[in-house]
Amino acid sequence: ELNYIYHNIDNYILPSSGYYYSVSGDLRGTFLGGARHYIKLESEYRHYYPLYNRFVFASRFQVGFLEILKTENDINYLPTYDRLYLGGSTSMRGWDEEGLNPNGGKLRYLVNQELRFPLFWKIGAELFIDAGKLLENEHDNSKSDWDWNIGYGLNFLTPLGPMRIDASYQYGKGKATITNALLYIF
């Protein structure tokens, strides 16, 4: 596994300015030995823009690629924790943890945009949009559209960081998905 991270974020828990960039590569099997043979590459870029001294516009872009280096080239060959997913409180909040594809995929794109702002005391809010695309392989053209959701959330500042609850709506669906988590999504 090889990781590279570069950033100038002003605060890890409550970021309000700066950027973050990471690239990670993971090679399993091949000449290293082992039961599973694959390569996994992921990259992420985050940017935080302060607005009017109290608002923060936050953006995140992610891409992930997974190539199974075996003749079956079947995603079920991998353990679930090594697959690429979208859904839940850390990626696409309009979907539950089962996500867009419960089996995972081999190519993932994700874009998150948030406007974060304080309300009063230790309570803040956010408005957001998440867009993502999860493909079973890099040549899969059956899914040309991106899935996306919009939503809003409230957060409460604790000694561990913001505790948040988000309500998000999938495009074309009326029912909200409620998620909660500790810390911001990114």
Side-chain angles (χ1 to χ4, degrees):
E1 188 173 321
L2 184 63
N3 294 308
Y4 173 78
I5 298 173
Y6 184 80
H7 69 88
N8 70 351
I9 296 174
D10 62 343
N11 183 324
Y12 286 113
I13 304 297
L14 299 168
S16 62
S17 68
Y19 62 90
Y20 169 97
Y21 177 70
S22 72
V23 177
S24 68
D26 193 3
L27 177 64
R28 300 287 169 105
T30 63
F31 65 91
L32 301 171
R36 295 177 181 88
H37 306 276
Y38 65 93
I39 188 168
K40 185 176 178 181
L41 303 169
E42 294 182 274
S43 183
E44 179 177 21
Y45 178 76
R46 304 175 191 172
H47 205 123
Y48 305 94
Y49 304 94
L51 301 170
Y52 307 113
N53 295 330
R54 295 183 49 114
F55 289 75
V56 174
F57 181 72
S59 300
R60 175 172 71 168
F61 305 95
Q62 279 185 340
V63 63
F65 172 76
L66 176 66
E67 180 65 34
I68 298 173
L69 305 171
K70 196 155 172 77
T71 55
E72 294 96 31
N73 203 16
D74 182 12
I75 193 75
N76 294 316
Y77 163 77
L78 295 178
T80 56
Y81 55 82
D82 278 337
R83 301 176 193 175
L84 299 173
Y85 293 98
L86 280 177
S89 65
T90 60
S91 64
M92 297 280 293
R93 292 167 273 198
W95 283 261
D96 60 15
E97 295 296 329
E98 289 286 316
L100 298 169
N101 184 344
N103 289 328
K106 294 183 183 174
L107 188 59
R108 173 182 64 199
Y109 301 103
L110 175 65
V111 177
N112 303 102
Q113 308 281 314
E114 282 191 353
L115 180 62
R116 301 172 183 164
F117 50 94
L119 292 176
F120 60 91
W121 190 50
K122 295 183 178 189
I123 297 174
E126 71 235 7
L127 303 171
F128 60 84
I129 183 168
D130 306 323
K133 191 173 189 177
L134 183 66
L135 302 173
E136 291 186 21
N137 63 58
E138 64 274 13
H139 305 294
D140 184 9
N141 290 323
S142 64
K143 184 177 178 182
S144 60
D145 292 335
W146 287 54
D147 293 297
W148 61 281
N149 59 257
I150 60 170
Y152 54 90
L154 290 174
N155 57 67
F156 179 78
L157 189 57
T158 71
L160 297 173
M163 182 175 60
R164 62 185 169 86
I165 184 164
D166 297 325
S168 50
Y169 300 86
Q170 295 176 18
Y171 174 68
K173 306 234 169 122
K175 185 179 174 190
T177 301
I178 307 297
T179 58
N180 59 2
L182 185 62
L183 301 178
Y184 288 119
I185 187 172
F186 60 93

